[in-house]
Amino acid sequence: MSQTLQTALTHAGQRLSGAGIEDSRREARILLAFVLGIDALQVSLRLEETLTAEHSAAFEATLKSRMAYVPMSHILGYREFYEHRFIVTPDVLDPRPETEELVARALSAPFQNVLDLGVGSGCIILSLLAVNSSACGVAVDCSAKALEVARRNAAKLQLTDRVRFCRSDWCAEIPSERFDLIVSNPPYIHPAVWKGLSPEVHHEPKLALTDGKDGLSHYATIAHQAHGFLAAEGRLLFEIGYDQGAAVAEILRKEGYRDIAILEDLDHRPRVVSCRARAEKAE
Ligand code: GLN
């Protein structure tokens, strides 16, 4: 049965809404545009056109996935983050708006070389390097598949010559080097909380979301290891869960870091903890 884009869109919106998808109309439009290979804004100009059987089948497939709570980024293959579009696969954490706060805070002071621990899609370090065109960096992940996605994103953004990739469990395998900026969005969700998160989140790599312990263990590991990689006045910035500020600040204080600050996003939610390298010990 042939249908116009308008009919297909209305029907799709209703079905997504019925499946409990909040932004159903917008998502239906984006999925239809994706199937048609056009910009979402163009859909409104073509509402009277008839949907071909091929496009109709492809649209149906995307709707089925979405009604099974596959994240939009996995269906579309990308997510917009900060100033760029990043390739996203089920092997990496879906870049989230709250992580843009970490990028903005990292950019608030100069840096020449940056280390990203747990790079995932590459959205943090590549956003930083795209803005700061004189900087270079090292991108670390324990997942070879994640590094592959990050490499593809670096190539897409033409940043390959300024970033090196390293497969490592945090700092264990990285070349000995000092960085004036270290950033990380480690897996910080408590396993009990992870279980209760939306079905979309369960399509993402569990390893990138929870430490399986108390949500804080990776901060402690990184804080301990990072001394050997931070330049004298270097900064370390973590993304944190909104209720982890005090605990992460305490971990950093015990490790001897200076100028520890819990930074809030525009909604006044603590989102980032920043600090400086500990004072050099006199030899
Ligand atoms: N911000 C993500 C969430 O709340 C968690 C990311 C992470 O664990 N690093 O779903």
Side-chain angles (χ1 to χ4, degrees), residues 113-185:
N113 56 343
V114 50
L115 171 66
D116 185 342
L117 295 169
V119 71
S121 65
C123 67
I124 301 171
I125 192 169
L126 298 176
S127 295
L128 294 174
L129 295 177
V131 173
N132 183 347
S133 57
S134 65
C136 58
V138 173
V140 171
D141 210 286
C142 63
S143 154
K145 285 181 173 171
L147 285 173
E148 199 40 52
V149 177
R151 272 200 193 91
R152 285 171 61 201
N153 277 315
K156 189 166 170 275
L157 298 175
Q158 297 181 318
L159 292 169
T160 303
D161 54 346
R162 287 198 283 130
V163 60
R164 281 168 292 147
F165 295 89
C166 179
R167 187 171 177 196
S168 171
D169 188 5
W170 301 131
C171 299
E173 310 290 334
I174 57 180
S176 83
E177 199 176 317
R178 295 277 171 171
F179 296 87
D180 50 19
L181 176 64
I182 299 181
V183 288
S184 184
N185 175 20

Side-chain angles (χ1 to χ4, degrees), residues 45-245:
L45 305 173
R46 299 176 52 172
L47 290 173
E48 301 311 318
E49 289 178 26
T50 303
L51 202 58
T52 66
E54 228 171 69
H55 284 147
S56 185
F59 189 38
E60 180 59 25
T62 64
L63 292 173
K64 282 223 170 85
S65 297
R66 192 63 192 108
M67 287 189 294
Y69 307 109
V70 175
M72 283 293 276
S73 61
H74 293 186
I75 302 173
L76 303 172
Y78 68 80
R79 174 74 72 185
E80 305 287 348
F81 176 87
Y82 205 69
E83 293 175 351
H84 299 280
R85 177 173 285 190
F86 287 86
I87 298 162
V88 173
T89 74
D91 294 314
V92 297
L93 192 72
D94 199 347
R96 289 161 163 73
E98 56 260 34
T99 305
E100 293 175 340
E101 187 64 30
L102 178 63
V103 172
R105 297 289 184 164
L107 287 169
S108 68
F111 61 91
Q112 277 313 303
N113 56 343
V114 50
L115 171 66
D116 185 342
L117 295 169
V119 71
S121 65
C123 67
I124 301 171
I125 192 169
L126 298 176
S127 295
L128 294 174
L129 295 177
V131 173
N132 183 347
S133 57
S134 65
C136 58
V138 173
V140 171
D141 210 286
C142 63
S143 154
K145 285 181 173 171
L147 285 173
E148 199 40 52
V149 177
R151 272 200 193 91
R152 285 171 61 201
N153 277 315
K156 189 166 170 275
L157 298 175
Q158 297 181 318
L159 292 169
T160 303
D161 54 346
R162 287 198 283 130
V163 60
R164 281 168 292 147
F165 295 89
C166 179
R167 187 171 177 196
S168 171
D169 188 5
W170 301 131
C171 299
E173 310 290 334
I174 57 180
S176 83
E177 199 176 317
R178 295 277 171 171
F179 296 87
D180 50 19
L181 176 64
I182 299 181
V183 288
S184 184
N185 175 20
Y188 58 68
I189 298 177
H190 192 287
V193 174
W194 175 84
K195 272 198 189 134
L197 292 176
S198 70
E200 277 90 346
V201 178
H202 293 115
H203 284 272
E204 297 184 65
K206 187 176 178 188
L207 198 72
L209 286 159
T210 178
D211 61 354
K213 295 177 184 147
D214 60 356
L216 294 167
S217 64
H218 291 307
Y219 293 115
T221 306
I222 295 171
H224 190 68
Q225 295 180 351
H227 295 303
F229 298 90
L230 207 49
E233 289 300 315
R235 293 178 295 147
L236 168 63
L237 269 78
F238 281 129
E239 177 174 322
I240 54 159
Y242 71 93
D243 55 354
Q244 291 174 317

